[in-house]
């Protein structure tokens, strides 16, 4: 009888010591499961947030190009010439009597993806502020199929861009040329008379207008915007 009681006592003692371990193990497994579930949820949320930010930034970058272009054209920032028609008033289109002639030089560049030749018909012109001037750039296609080109532009030195006013040009306009076809593209411009009153322009005697032609398929961000200062060009 005493032996039976001893075995019962030993069995109870064994299970009393084992039960907390079992409970602790179950608790740890539950916590691990919850932790893994939380991590998966957090990773999914982080992935969706990253994707949303990427898509948003991509949309902003595409929208920023035409907005930046319009900003530069209205302020002359970064060597972008002025296209603001409010500056084309008759009193500004009168050559000044100050005998200070400015040399305007013309440059051209062509993207490797565009099989055209592109060059200015004149290398330079001398004007006084307020005097209008007209020149042309000529492009010719050497492609075996129709190709659309589109041009960007700027002036140097950059600080002179605020005074270089275009009345007409071909920038950001799509030009389609058939194989062997050529085109004369006009640039009609003047230097704002306020150029003479700017102390930062005192040492500027030469201004360079440069154009770069791109294949429109390779430069979709240069798609034309509503530019009322430019007129359609004619082919020859």
């Amino acid at each position: 009888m005493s032996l039976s009681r001893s075995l019962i006592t030993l069995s109870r003692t064994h299970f009393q010591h084992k039960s907390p371990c079992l409970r602790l193990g179950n608790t740890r497994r539950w916590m691990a499961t919850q932790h893994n579930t939380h991590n998966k949820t957090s990773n999914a949320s982080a992935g969706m947030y990253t994707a949303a930010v990427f898509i948003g930034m991509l949309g902003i970058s595409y929208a920023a190009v035409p907005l930046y272009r319009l900003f530069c054209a209205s302020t002359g920032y970064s060597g972008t010439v002025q296209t603001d028609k409010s500056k084309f008033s008759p009193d500004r289109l009168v050559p000044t009597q100050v005998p200070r002639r400015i040399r305007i030089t013309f440059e051209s560049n062509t993207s490797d993806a565009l099989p055209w030749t592109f060059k200015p018909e004149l290398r330079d012109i001398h004007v006084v502020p307020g005097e209008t001037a007209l020149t042309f750039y000529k492009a010719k296609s050497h492609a075996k199929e129709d190709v659309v080109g589109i041009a960007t532009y700027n002036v140097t030195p950059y600080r002179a861009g605020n005074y270089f006013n275009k009345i007409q040009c071909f920038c950001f306009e799509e030009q389609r040329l058939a194989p062997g076809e050529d085109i004369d593209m006009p640039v009609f411009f003047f230097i704002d008379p306020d150029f003479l009153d700017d102390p930062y322009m005192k040492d500027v005697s030469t201004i360079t207008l440069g154009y770069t032609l791109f294949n429109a398929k390779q430069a979709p961000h240069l798609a034309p915007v509503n530019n009322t200062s430019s007129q359609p060009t004619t082919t020859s």
Side-chain angles (χ1 to χ4, degrees), residues 75-88:
T75 63
Y77 181 75
S78 190
T80 303
V81 300
Q82 288 272 22
T83 57
D84 184 1
K85 277 195 170 184
S86 66
K87 291 182 172 289
F88 302 165

Side-chain angles (χ1 to χ4, degrees), residues 154-165:
N154 74 325
V155 301
T156 54
Y158 289 158
R159 63 184 184 276
N162 191 47
Y163 300 102
F164 199 112
N165 294 279

Side-chain angles (χ1 to χ4, degrees), residues 92 96 102 104 127-132 160 163-165 189-196 207:
R92 291 182 177 274
T96 61
I102 304 166
I104 311 298
V127 298
V128 296
E131 178 183 2
T132 57
Y163 300 102
F164 199 112
N165 294 279
F189 67 92
F190 71 99
I191 304 299
D192 195 299
D194 291 344
F195 176 93
L196 298 173
I207 298 175

Side-chain angles (χ1 to χ4, degrees), residues 54-116:
F54 174 77
I55 294 172
M57 293 300 294
L58 185 64
I60 291 173
S61 66
Y62 272 93
V65 172
L67 292 175
Y68 179 77
R69 183 192 307 166
L70 292 173
F71 167 75
C72 291
S74 63
T75 63
Y77 181 75
S78 190
T80 303
V81 300
Q82 288 272 22
T83 57
D84 184 1
K85 277 195 170 184
S86 66
K87 291 182 172 289
F88 302 165
S89 57
D91 60 312
R92 291 182 177 274
L93 300 178
V94 177
T96 61
Q97 300 302 314
V98 178
R100 182 185 173 186
R101 302 189 73 81
I102 304 166
R103 180 174 177 247
I104 311 298
T105 63
F106 305 99
E107 293 183 351
S108 62
N109 296 283
T110 308
S111 167
D112 292 339
L114 185 66
W116 292 6

